[in-house]
Amino acid sequence: MPIVQIDWVEGRSIEQKRELAEKVTTAVVEAAKCPPEAVTIIIRDQPKTNIAKAGTLMSDKK
Amino acid sequence: MPIVQIDWVEGRSIEQKRELAEKVTTAVVEAAKCPPEAVTIIIRDQPKTNIAKAGTLMSDKK
Amino acid sequence: MPIVQIDWVEGRSIEQKRELAEKVTTAVVEAAKCPPEAVTIIIRDQPKTNIAKAGTLMSDKK
Amino acid sequence: MPIVQIDWVEGRSIEQKRELAEKVTTAVVEAAKCPPEAVTIIIRDQPKTNIAKAGTLMSDKK
Amino acid sequence: MPIVQIDWVEGRSIEQKRELAEKVTTAVVEAAKCPPEAVTIIIRDQPKTNIAKAGTLMSDKK
Amino acid sequence: MPIVQIDWVEGRSIEQKRELAEKVTTAVVEAAKCPPEAVTIIIRDQPKTNIAKAGTLMSDKK
């Protein structure tokens, strides 16, 4: 604990995932006053066909 | 908000995902009295090897 | 399966939850072509202090 | 209900998933005093590039 | 990792939660071949007004 | 999108939640190259009786 689950659109590079992991961990550590070792992050890559906003799939957006 | 996460068995068509997104958004808008723009949906396609009911994987069901 | 998890702001009435459960189930049944008995819904009521958009807690929004 | 969601590192065999489903279901049935039919399990296989501990991706660990 | 999230109906005793944590951890350790220290469990207690099956809230079931 | 779900131990102050929301949003914006308005965060406060590590509830840890 804390455990962080992040859903975003697939296609991000390994560098972006590395940056996400580092920066989100730092942010959580500062707010939660916990050691970095306590923070686990799960990144969930989602295809645009599997996300909808206002009833429209992201893959259908123009 | 609201945020809707739906896990179902993989293999659905894009038409089914589109219908799911439209109809679930309408349902949530009516019950929550919120604008459609407020509703985000994430669809999670799961292989039958990764779902179990009563201790049995769906891929083992006959 | 399908399993639907819905996060929304707390304070909704039992009637709204009932309407949400009925209408979302119907929507999922139509799109997934599954029987209603297969659909499970979990509603998660969230306080406004525990939701943020654009970095601002909903409880801090004016 | 109960619904169990398990995130672990991808690469497990079907035998391991079968064992996980059986044993976790038995564990939940004993603690919850519910019938096995009530227990649903979702297994989420995660690539090592999508999990971080202490700010470091598992794929970057040596 | 592994991370286990369990949703069940609220009202369980601390003894039941303790038993759930012990037994589910053992089950995961055996299937995943991981040390117990690697297993984190989150238990989510849900009121019957917030769970629906087949479109009906559990609190409305007779 | 992105959607961030954070489980941590209950008892944090509103100032800590505010700091968490601000800093995590900034971290996600930098890594994902998305506008802040796209980032939604849900904070889930968990009692120590509902979290276990290595098979032991946090409320049982000395």
Side-chain angles (χ1 to χ4, degrees):
Chain A
M1 280 282 183
I3 293 172
V4 183
Q5 304 178 59
I6 303 173
D7 281 274
W8 67 2
V9 178
E10 67 180 4
R12 262 67 183 235
S13 68
I14 183 73
E15 285 77 20
Q16 281 183 290
K17 293 181 182 181
R18 196 174 284 131
E19 185 181 357
L20 183 73
E22 287 173 5
K23 293 189 170 173
V24 169
T25 298
T26 301
V28 171
V29 162
E30 292 177 1
K33 319 269 181 244
C34 68
E37 296 73 31
V39 182
T40 305
I41 295 177
I42 302 174
I43 304 172
R44 304 192 195 278
D45 298 317
Q46 301 294 350
K48 288 193 175 181
T49 53
N50 286 29
I51 307 165
K53 191 88 188 172
T56 303
L57 298 180
M58 279 191 64
S59 53
D60 286 341
K61 285 262 175 62
K62 286 152 226 168
Chain B
M1 281 283 183
I3 293 172
V4 183
Q5 304 179 59
I6 303 173
D7 281 275
W8 68 2
V9 179
E10 67 180 4
R12 263 66 184 236
S13 67
I14 182 74
E15 285 77 18
Q16 281 183 289
K17 292 182 182 180
R18 196 175 284 132
E19 184 182 357
L20 184 73
E22 287 173 4
K23 292 189 171 173
V24 169
T25 299
T26 301
V28 172
V29 163
E30 291 178 0
K33 320 266 181 247
C34 68
E37 296 73 33
V39 182
T40 305
I41 295 177
I42 302 174
I43 303 172
R44 304 193 195 276
D45 298 318
Q46 300 294 349
K48 288 192 175 183
T49 54
N50 287 27
I51 308 166
K53 191 86 187 175
T56 304
L57 298 180
M58 279 191 65
S59 53
D60 286 342
K61 284 263 175 63
K62 288 152 225 168
Chain C
M1 280 284 184
I3 293 172
V4 183
Q5 303 178 61
I6 304 173
D7 280 274
W8 69 2
V9 179
E10 65 180 6
R12 263 68 184 234
S13 67
I14 183 73
E15 285 76 20
Q16 280 184 291
K17 292 182 182 180
R18 195 174 284 133
E19 184 181 359
L20 183 73
E22 286 173 4
K23 293 189 170 173
V24 169
T25 298
T26 300
V28 172
V29 162
E30 291 178 0
K33 320 265 180 249
C34 69
E37 294 74 32
V39 182
T40 305
I41 296 177
I42 301 174
I43 304 171
R44 304 192 196 277
D45 298 317
Q46 301 294 350
K48 288 192 175 183
T49 53
N50 286 29
I51 308 166
K53 192 86 187 175
T56 304
L57 299 180
M58 279 190 64
S59 53
D60 286 341
K61 286 263 174 63
K62 289 151 224 169
Chain D
M1 277 282 181
I3 293 172
V4 183
Q5 304 178 60
I6 303 172
D7 281 274
W8 68 2
V9 178
E10 66 180 6
R12 263 68 183 236
S13 66
I14 182 74
E15 285 76 19
Q16 281 183 291
K17 293 182 182 180
R18 195 175 286 133
E19 184 181 357
L20 183 73
E22 286 173 6
K23 293 189 171 174
V24 169
T25 298
T26 299
V28 172
V29 162
E30 291 178 359
K33 320 269 182 244
C34 68
E37 296 73 32
V39 182
T40 305
I41 296 177
I42 301 174
I43 303 170
R44 305 192 195 276
D45 298 318
Q46 301 294 350
K48 287 192 176 183
T49 53
N50 286 29
I51 306 166
K53 191 86 186 172
T56 303
L57 298 179
M58 280 191 63
S59 53
D60 286 343
K61 285 261 175 63
K62 289 153 224 166
Chain E
M1 279 281 181
I3 293 172
V4 183
Q5 304 178 60
I6 304 173
D7 281 274
W8 67 2
V9 178
E10 66 179 5
R12 263 68 184 233
S13 67
I14 183 73
E15 285 77 19
Q16 281 184 291
K17 293 182 181 179
R18 196 176 285 131
E19 184 182 357
L20 183 73
E22 286 173 5
K23 293 190 170 174
V24 169
T25 298
T26 300
V28 172
V29 162
E30 291 178 0
K33 320 264 180 250
C34 68
E37 295 72 34
V39 182
T40 305
I41 296 177
I42 302 173
I43 304 172
R44 304 192 195 276
D45 297 317
Q46 300 295 348
K48 288 193 175 181
T49 53
N50 286 29
I51 308 166
K53 191 87 186 175
T56 304
L57 299 180
M58 280 190 65
S59 53
D60 286 342
K61 284 263 174 63
K62 289 153 223 169
Chain F
M1 280 282 185
I3 292 172
V4 183
Q5 305 178 59
I6 304 172
D7 280 275
W8 68 3
V9 179
E10 66 179 5
R12 263 68 183 232
S13 68
I14 183 73
E15 284 76 20
Q16 281 183 291
K17 293 182 181 181
R18 195 175 284 131
E19 184 181 358
L20 183 74
E22 287 173 4
K23 292 189 171 174
V24 169
T25 298
T26 301
V28 172
V29 162
E30 290 177 1
K33 321 263 181 251
C34 68
E37 295 74 31
V39 182
T40 305
I41 296 177
I42 301 174
I43 304 171
R44 304 192 196 276
D45 298 316
Q46 301 293 349
K48 287 191 176 184
T49 54
N50 287 29
I51 308 166
K53 192 86 186 174
T56 304
L57 299 180
M58 281 190 65
S59 52
D60 286 342
K61 285 261 176 63
K62 288 151 226 171

